[in-house]
Amino acid sequence: MELHDVWFVLIAVLWTGYFFLEGFDFGVGILTKLLARDRAERRVLINTIGPVWDGNEVWLLTAGGATFAAFPDWYATLFSGFYLPLLAILVCLIVRGVAFEYRAKRPEENWQRNWETAIFWTSLLPAFLWGVAFGNIVRGVKIDQHFEYVGTFWDLLNPYALLGGLVTLTLFTFHGAVFTALKTVGDIRGRARKLALWAGLVAAVLAVGFLLWTQTDSGDGKSLIALVVAVLALVGALLANQLGREGWAFSLSGLTIVAAVAMLFLSLFPNVMPSTLNGAWSLTVSNASSSPYTLKIMTWLAVIATPLVVLYQGWTYWVFRKRIGTQHIAEAAH
């Protein structure tokens, strides 16, 4: 296996880790409007992800940086062609981070309600837009012989990509509801399980359609295996949720996301951005990669740094592993 193939796999792993982790905290942010009944319950939801949401975004920064260093032509074409949706995601992530930090800085109800509304929308929009972006990457876009995107913003809003956006939105909401049931006690825990059932059923219908469409267009035997794993894991997550096995439900909902993202990358390889104008103009792991020397240095850095990041983040989740409820929220915070 060539180093550019290795880095394609590593970037796929980074994006998979990001969607697994950021997926449930996007879901929790969406649930602040769909599940929480009052300010105390919204505070409970926010507190479930409070210690970890910023660590989850490290995976996005690493994935973006690795793409820039390992596949500069992919990075350039992607960020120039998808400029508006990626800018919208970036703005949402900035506002979302500010909202988490500023919400409790003042006691006025309007102040806190406005920041909570910001958390909802800046969780919902990226959850949808990431699916649109990756749908277009897998489907292919208008790339010319100079490996430059020559389409328009409206070309990105095609049925396949929009369906991908709905899949990530509903799947992340389901993932977040399962996580909420795992991390809370009391009435909110039971309601999270009920909402997870309905969100999971909608996600299942949309995801099966999207993955079958992907398999028909660009899949092979390996992607078919990933598709089957994703479907079985989602069914298992729904069953575990109904049985009250919240740890299993969360693990299986996470496996659903992992298998679905793996299927997209398996369908994409060896391309990194297919051209819909001419297959010979597609960006591939070979023609879009950096020099072997650059990839070699990056590999050594990844071998040293990655285990440290994983250990630290795992420790964070272990420290903040206990369930919380409204009884743990100080009266002044209500």
Side-chain angles (χ1 to χ4, degrees):
M1 181 181 287
E2 300 288 339
L3 276 179
H4 50 64
D5 297 331
V6 171
W7 272 97
F8 179 86
V9 173
L10 291 176
I11 288 172
V13 170
L14 290 171
W15 280 110
T16 302
Y18 173 67
F19 288 135
F20 175 89
L21 296 171
E22 191 86 304
F24 72 73
D25 74 48
F26 280 150
V28 171
I30 293 169
L31 294 181
T32 57
K33 290 292 186 183
L34 302 183
L35 181 66
R37 291 176 173 173
D38 52 35
R39 293 172 64 188
E41 289 190 352
R42 285 191 290 274
R43 180 66 181 271
V44 169
L45 291 175
I46 292 170
N47 283 6
T48 62
I49 58 174
V52 298
W53 69 267
D54 49 353
N56 294 343
E57 292 187 354
V58 170
W59 290 78
L60 172 62
L61 298 175
T62 308
T67 304
F68 171 75
F71 299 99
D73 289 341
W74 183 13
Y75 182 93
T77 303
L78 175 65
F79 278 79
S80 60
F82 294 17
Y83 181 80
L84 287 177
L86 292 179
L87 177 63
I89 291 173
L90 177 61
V91 171
C92 284
L93 294 180
I94 292 172
V95 174
R96 189 168 181 264
V98 172
F100 280 128
E101 298 297 332
Y102 275 40
R103 177 195 171 277
K105 296 299 184 183
R106 290 171 57 177
E108 291 89 345
E109 183 175 351
N110 285 342
W111 172 272
Q112 296 192 3
R113 185 172 60 248
N114 289 338
W115 285 119
E116 289 164 358
T117 300
I119 290 172
F120 169 76
W121 285 108
T122 56
S123 298
L124 185 149
L125 290 175
F128 174 73
L129 290 175
W130 278 127
V132 173
F134 270 82
N136 277 294
I137 291 173
V138 174
R139 171 183 174 270
V141 291
K142 294 179 179 179
I143 299 175
D144 66 11
Q145 65 270 30
H146 303 296
F147 303 127
E148 295 179 358
Y149 179 73
V150 293
T152 66
F153 169 75
W154 303 109
D155 291 326
L156 302 177
L157 303 181
N158 54 81
Y160 176 80
L162 293 175
L163 178 58
L166 292 176
V167 169
T168 51
L169 175 60
T170 55
L171 196 55
F172 290 171
T173 303
F174 171 64
H175 196 37
V178 171
F179 178 78
T180 300
L182 178 65
K183 285 287 294 178
T184 57
V185 295
D187 181 56
I188 194 171
R189 177 185 176 187
R191 285 187 283 115
R193 285 170 52 192
K194 292 180 181 178
L195 191 148
L197 172 63
W198 292 107
L201 290 174
V202 174
V205 173
L206 295 174
V208 169
F210 178 73
L211 295 179
L212 286 175
W213 191 344
T214 305
Q215 179 65 26
T216 301
D217 279 356
S218 56
D220 56 15
K222 294 178 181 178
S223 62
L224 179 61
I225 293 173
L227 186 156
V228 173
V229 172
V231 172
L232 292 178
L234 184 51
V235 172
L238 287 167
L239 292 175
N241 177 70
Q242 287 301 100
L243 295 173
R245 304 298 298 272
E246 290 142 352
W248 278 104
F250 178 72
S251 299
L252 289 169
S253 68
L255 178 59
T256 303
I257 293 174
V258 169
V261 177
M263 183 197 172
L264 295 182
F265 276 96
L266 288 169
S267 300
L268 188 60
F269 185 82
N271 294 320
V272 293
M273 282 192 77
S275 172
T276 57
L277 299 179
N278 188 326
W281 299 342
S282 297
L283 288 167
T284 68
V285 292
S286 56
N287 67 22
S289 68
S290 294
S291 68
Y293 183 70
T294 300
L295 297 177
K296 185 177 180 179
I297 294 175
M298 290 175 60
T299 302
W300 281 110
L301 292 174
V303 168
I304 296 170
T306 303
L308 298 176
V309 173
V310 172
L311 286 172
Y312 172 76
Q313 195 162 18
W315 176 78
T316 303
Y317 277 92
W318 175 256
V319 170
F320 295 100
R321 66 189 182 277
K322 292 186 178 180
R323 296 175 182 267
I324 61 173
T326 52
Q327 66 270 29
H328 300 116
I329 305 298
E331 185 64 30
H334 290 187

